[in-house]
């Protein structure tokens, strides 16, 4: 049933190109338009939206953080992202023109369900992005966009996460299409970029033996830091979460620009620091700034593990280990940069002798608040 893999997690990592392709299936029209018939909100309702909240937990929350960059960029609608367990306890400002997007693999997460009920009580529109058909969260939502990742058995979320990110892109582009604003003209080109994602993920997967070897060499680390910027920042958070939950190693993700405001103090001789480098094509020299961050941590003794786009030569002098990912549009980079971090956490946990699919203290579906 594990299809020749040691762990369900490895099998599910390998299924990611298919999970993305299935999530896109039938939703990209021939002439580059988006077809999201399941989003049962009228065009008028979609045009009236003046604010979006994305509410979810854990890995699904990280998908929401990535969604913010894409949805705000494409639609110019302000997006706030919040963990579900905090959302309803602070009296968020919600009304009929607010869209609340809840993201959940299982569709049964109690924190997310309670946030959804609160949003509906306040008359907000609720759109669920969910992987489990017919589960409670999509049943109680006004509309649902299913991720078609297939059943996810390993407790740690992998293929559901990449599918959630892709579903968020679809929602953002669909809103841009319906509302007909700034990025409408670009939608057809971006749709082509989406179609190429399964192939890009398949390409990253071909390099994973090296990442596994690197993982084995990191199994004794006491702490591992993850740095990212722009959409790479949520990827850093996700890399740290995976490592904590599977390998029980202390890990933290930071926005790379925050390094100098405190975290750099913990960098010591030999501290592994994983850096998710933005594309050299990203705006306002964030690429150069992150390359400087790699230099800074390395000067303080860090062992640098650098995830960078193919052809990015600027990182070469500062990378103790270099993991290459294929070139993607800036906003879509998380779909490829997350994959080596999943493999890394899995391999480190396995080397330490832990049950990768059933980590201690965790359940696949968290049905208590
Ligand atoms: C991490 C993980 C959890 C879940 C979280 C939300 O690998 O699996 O953090 O992402 O419990 O679960 P869902 O998406 O089912 O609401």
């Amino acid at each position: 049933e594990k299809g020749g893999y040691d762990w369900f997690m490895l099998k599910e990592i390998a299924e990611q190109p298919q999970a993305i392709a299935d999530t896109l299936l039938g939703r990209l029209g021939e002439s580059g338009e988006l077809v999201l018939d399941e989003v049962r909100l009228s065009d008028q309702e979609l045009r009236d939206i003046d604010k979006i909240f994305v509410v979810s937990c854990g890995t699904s929350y990280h998908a929401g953080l990535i969604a913010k960059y894409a949805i705000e960029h494409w639609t110019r609608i302000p997006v706030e992202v919040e963990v579900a367990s905090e959302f309803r306890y602070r009296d968020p400002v919600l009304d009929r023109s607010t869209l609340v997007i809840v993201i959940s693999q299982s569709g049964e997460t109690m924190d997310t369900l309670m946030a959804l009920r609160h949003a509906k009580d306040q008359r907000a529109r609720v759109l669920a992005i969910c992987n489990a058909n017919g589960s409670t969260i999509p049943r109680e939502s006004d509309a649902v966009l299913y991720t078609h990742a297939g059943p996810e058995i390993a407790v740690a979320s992998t293929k559901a996460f990449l599918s959630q990110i892709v579903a968020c892109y679809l929602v953002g582009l669909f809103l841009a299409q319906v509302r007909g604003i700034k990025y409408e003209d670009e939608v057809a080109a971006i749709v082509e970029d989406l179609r190429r994602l399964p192939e890009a993920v398949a390409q990253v997967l071909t390099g994973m033996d090296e990442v596994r070897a690197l993982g084995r060499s990191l199994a004794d680390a006491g702490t591992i830091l993850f740095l990212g910027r722009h959409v790479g920042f949520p990827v850093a958070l996700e890399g740290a979460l995976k490592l904590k939950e599977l390998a029980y190693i202390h890990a933290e993700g930071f926005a790379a620009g925050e390094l100098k405001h405190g975290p750099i103090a913990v960098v010591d001789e030999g501290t592994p620091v994983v850096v998710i480098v933005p594309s050299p094509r990203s705006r306002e020299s964030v690429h150069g700034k992150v390359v400087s961050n790699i230099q800074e941590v390395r000067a303080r003794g860090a062992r640098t593990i650098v995830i960078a786009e193919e052809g990015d030569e600027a990182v070469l002098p500062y990378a103790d280990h270099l993991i290459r990912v294929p070139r993607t549009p800036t906003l879509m980079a998380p779909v490829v940069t997350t994959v080596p971090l999943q493999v890394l956490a899995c391999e480190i946990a396995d080397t330490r002798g832990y049950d990768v699919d059933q980590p201690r203290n965790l359940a696949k579906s968290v049905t208590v608040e």
Side-chain angles (χ1 to χ4, degrees), residues 309-329:
E309 199 176 270
E310 269 154 18
D312 180 353
E313 303 287 316
V315 297
L316 288 174
Y318 318 111
D320 293 315
H321 306 272
L322 180 59
I323 301 169
R324 287 294 190 191
V325 291
R327 214 175 139 140
T328 52

Side-chain angles (χ1 to χ4, degrees), residues 116-325:
L116 147 86
R117 287 182 180 157
H118 180 76
K120 287 199 77 178
D121 285 347
Q122 306 287 311
R123 306 197 309 158
R125 311 285 175 199
V126 179
L127 167 67
I129 292 177
C130 184
N131 197 48
N133 257 44
S135 53
T136 311
I137 286 172
R139 271 207 320 270
E140 294 200 13
S141 299
D142 297 308
V144 53
L145 186 66
Y146 280 107
T147 48
H148 295 301
E152 197 178 58
I153 292 164
V155 163
S157 185
T158 54
K159 61 177 182 171
F161 177 62
L162 292 201
S163 309
Q164 288 166 347
I165 301 171
V166 167
C168 290
Y169 296 150
L170 290 174
V171 170
L173 292 169
F174 184 64
L175 283 169
Q177 175 177 290
V178 171
R179 297 161 65 96
I181 50 173
K182 196 172 166 198
Y183 288 93
E184 192 191 21
D185 299 346
E186 286 178 36
V187 169
I190 301 167
V191 162
E192 280 315 302
D193 295 330
L194 287 174
R195 287 190 213 274
R196 282 193 283 269
L197 287 178
E199 182 50 39
V201 174
Q203 197 185 323
V204 191
L205 287 169
T206 62
M208 289 304 102
D209 284 349
E210 269 174 62
V211 174
R212 292 180 74 170
L214 171 64
R216 290 191 286 279
S217 79
L218 288 168
D220 294 327
T223 184
I224 300 187
L225 306 180
F226 293 77
L227 301 180
R229 192 162 181 144
H230 190 253
V231 286
F233 170 42
V235 174
L237 297 178
E238 174 62 8
L241 177 62
K242 281 283 166 289
L243 195 70
K244 282 181 274 201
E245 66 178 334
L246 299 177
Y248 322 144
I249 291 177
H250 173 255
E252 266 188 86
F254 299 106
E258 280 290 288
L259 198 61
K260 57 189 175 298
H261 299 291
I264 197 160
V266 304
V267 175
D268 206 348
E269 202 55 44
T271 309
V273 180
V274 180
V275 187
I276 299 106
V277 182
S279 159
R281 287 165 287 111
S282 32
R283 290 191 301 178
E284 299 180 45
S285 68
V286 286
H287 170 265
K289 286 174 181 158
V290 173
V291 174
S292 304
N293 294 142
I294 311 174
Q295 256 175 289
E296 284 153 19
V297 293
R298 201 154 181 269
R300 286 160 182 81
R303 176 178 171 195
T304 57
I305 298 147
V306 174
I307 302 179
E309 199 176 270
E310 269 154 18
D312 180 353
E313 303 287 316
V315 297
L316 288 174
Y318 318 111
D320 293 315
H321 306 272
L322 180 59
I323 301 169
R324 287 294 190 191
V325 291

